[in-house]
């Protein structure tokens, strides 16, 4: 099974380079749909756009 560590590091680098500071729990809540706030939506859309997902 391939490792996902390079992907984790890529995301951490992306967050750091773009001065995005989000508590880990918030990211989990955004991705699970527990928090449906504009800030979360912007985060998700930016990641999708920047990573061409």
């Amino acid at each position: 099974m391939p490792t996902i560590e390079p992907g984790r590091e890529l995301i951490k680098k992306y967050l750091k380079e773009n001065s995005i500071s989000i508590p880990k729990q918030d990211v989990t809540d955004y991705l699970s749909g527990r928090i449906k706030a504009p800030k979360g939506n912007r985060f998700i859309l930016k990641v999708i756009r920047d990573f061409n997902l």
Side-chain angles (χ1 to χ4, degrees):
M1 175 173 240
T3 179
I4 60 170
E5 192 59 33
R8 287 183 183 156
E9 292 303 316
L10 182 62
I11 292 171
K12 284 192 241 178
K13 179 181 175 188
Y14 168 81
L15 294 174
K16 185 175 182 179
E17 288 175 350
N18 289 281
S19 301
I20 299 172
S21 176
I22 300 175
K24 290 179 186 179
Q25 187 61 49
D26 286 353
V27 173
T28 300
D29 289 343
Y30 294 153
L31 296 177
S32 72
R34 282 186 289 242
I35 295 178
K36 295 178 179 157
K39 181 179 178 181
N41 293 342
R42 283 191 302 271
F43 171 77
I44 291 170
L45 290 173
K46 184 150 180 59
V47 170
I48 290 170
R49 230 183 353 259
D50 289 352
F51 286 100
N52 296 317
L53 301 175

